[in-house]
Amino acid sequence: MAELKYMSGFGNEFVSEDPRCPGALPEGQNNPQVCPYGLYAEQLSGSAFTCPRPTNKRSWLYRILPSVCHKSFECIHEGQVTHDWDEVEPDPNQLRWKPFEIPKASQRKLDFVSGLHTLCGAGEPRSRNGIAVHIFLCNTSMINRCFYSSDGDFLIVPQQGKLLITTEFGKLLVEPSEICVIQQGMRFSVEVFGETRGYILEVYGVHFELPDLGPIGANGLANPRDFLVPVAWYEDRQVPGGYTVISKYQGKLFAAHQDFSPFNVVAWHGNYTPYKYNLDNFMVINSVAFDHVDPSIFTVLTAKSTRPGVALADFVIFPPRWGVANHTFRPPYYHRNCMSEFMGLIKGHYEAKEKGFQPGGGSLHSMMTPHGPDAECFEKASKAKLEPERVADGTMAFMFESSFSLAVTRWGLKTSNCLDKSYYKCWEPLKSHFNQSSK
């Protein structure tokens, strides 16, 4: 596979045309009477026309045929996608999942769409306010099929296996320890190279942004230059047997057929694009004296709510770093939170729970449900000699944190058969060290 090319920047105004068709972008206007090469002009709007300029998102696509050329959409039943948050009773317990199992291709072929499973979520795609957490488990590539979400943006976190994602804007190769964001309405197809697994955070109604840096200043955390956007690539391919376009619409899947590839965009310009980011580029900030900075300091991307300082969802990572805090219990503190915390592990061992929390699994600590280091971690860290030390080398854990109270689906609690029902036992050995006569 030839090395892919990208443009760098976050939220920039980009321009790109396939080098096979130089001059495909119209000069000086968006919608000429006749486009170069006989192309069709099509605008993809990611925001209302009248949004303020800093939040106004749109791109112009110049394509061989417009995307309106398809048969009627019909409801299909694939995967385990849902937004029915009332299908099982709420469960406020600490929840942990063993690695989600990927079926063997010899037993059952699953591509990215048929392998989508909704784990938890809240809110409503129709009212454009909410989130969903999905798990994807696949073993075969999408052939003459593409997908898009009418409901929201997909933040995709591959955990096992790389993804070659073809979009209307070009191609992205996304490997474990990288993420990509495919924004609302963007059509894409996923090619895999074996058994593949990962996590998805979907947000309804808003788009992901870089967090404000406040007193940190102009630089730090995820730097804008490290985000990569694909360059234009097209195929003029007829599909006599039918090409299937799958839409996630109001929490359900619908399919329409057409007789050509949707990846027929010869040129495009705009600021509404897919993008990827390598988590190893995150500039980590940490305490250098005592105590913890809160984990919000590890935020890569945020999806803001209408309340200042409160996120619909944050994407947070716990990357390799130095731990140097003096007189401090260095692992994560015990916590009860007004937010919901879903955690996943891409590789390695999470510092607060080195056993039980495995790559490809997950945990959910719901709103105001207590959580924190297990007994073994507490005893070890309480007695450790405090010297500068590397933390989380060879590890990449992450968190989807949300201001919504998340409901777990039937698949998450029952059908997946991955729920670790003994999770609570990791805290049972904790014992009282209280001694009134000694400080």
Side-chain angles (χ1 to χ4, degrees), residues 376-387:
E376 182 179 346
C377 176
F378 178 83
E379 295 296 334
K380 181 179 177 182
S382 298
K383 300 170 184 174
K385 185 178 180 180
L386 295 181
E387 297 178 328

Side-chain angles (χ1 to χ4, degrees), residues 315-335:
F315 174 61
V316 179
I317 63 173
F318 301 97
R321 58 199 183 275
W322 281 98
V324 298
N326 285 322
H327 314 297
T328 298
F329 181 78
R330 289 180 179 176
Y333 43 73
Y334 294 97
H335 195 203

Side-chain angles (χ1 to χ4, degrees), residues 226-431:
D226 293 323
F227 288 82
L228 301 177
V229 171
V231 297
W233 177 89
Y234 77 92
E235 59 179 7
D236 184 9
R237 182 166 67 91
Q238 298 298 306
V239 187
Y243 195 104
T244 303
V245 178
I246 301 170
S247 170
K248 180 179 179 290
Y249 176 74
Q250 295 187 8
K252 298 182 182 298
L253 298 184
F254 295 82
H257 298 285
Q258 59 191 48
D259 59 8
F260 62 94
S261 167
F263 304 118
N264 61 358
V265 177
V266 177
W268 61 267
H269 75 86
N271 64 354
Y272 190 53
T273 71
Y275 53 88
K276 77 168 194 170
Y277 176 74
N278 188 327
L279 301 179
D280 293 333
N281 290 330
F282 189 80
M283 198 279 268
V284 185
I285 292 175
N286 206 1
S287 172
V288 296
F290 61 90
D291 278 354
H292 286 266
V293 284
D294 289 323
S296 48
I297 204 69
F298 302 126
T299 301
V300 179
L301 292 168
T302 184
K304 295 179 179 178
S305 76
T306 55
R307 290 178 289 164
V310 179
L312 225 65
D314 286 329
F315 174 61
V316 179
I317 63 173
F318 301 97
R321 58 199 183 275
W322 281 98
V324 298
N326 285 322
H327 314 297
T328 298
F329 181 78
R330 289 180 179 176
Y333 43 73
Y334 294 97
H335 195 203
R336 290 181 296 160
N337 197 352
C338 64
M339 309 282 274
S340 300
E341 302 178 18
F342 173 83
M343 284 196 62
L345 185 60
I346 298 170
K347 61 181 180 180
H349 302 277
Y350 180 54
E351 59 199 276
K353 296 180 184 68
E354 294 195 2
K355 298 177 182 176
F357 186 49
Q358 302 174 58
S363 69
L364 176 63
H365 299 140
S366 297
M367 206 167 271
M368 291 302 172
T369 295
H371 53 279
D374 61 23
E376 182 179 346
C377 176
F378 178 83
E379 295 296 334
K380 181 179 177 182
S382 298
K383 300 170 184 174
K385 185 178 180 180
L386 295 181
E387 297 178 328
E389 61 178 341
R390 292 292 296 168
V391 178
D393 274 345
T395 290
M396 187 62 76
F398 70 87
M399 179 167 64
F400 300 152
E401 185 178 58
S402 175
S403 56
F404 283 97
S405 184
L406 302 182
V408 183
T409 62
R410 178 179 284 109
W411 182 82
L413 288 177
K414 299 177 181 179
T415 317
S416 69
N417 293 319
C418 292
L419 190 65
D420 181 357
K421 296 182 180 180
S422 65
Y423 181 30
Y424 69 94
K425 292 182 180 179
C426 74
W427 293 288
E428 284 188 337
L430 286 167
K431 58 187 178 182

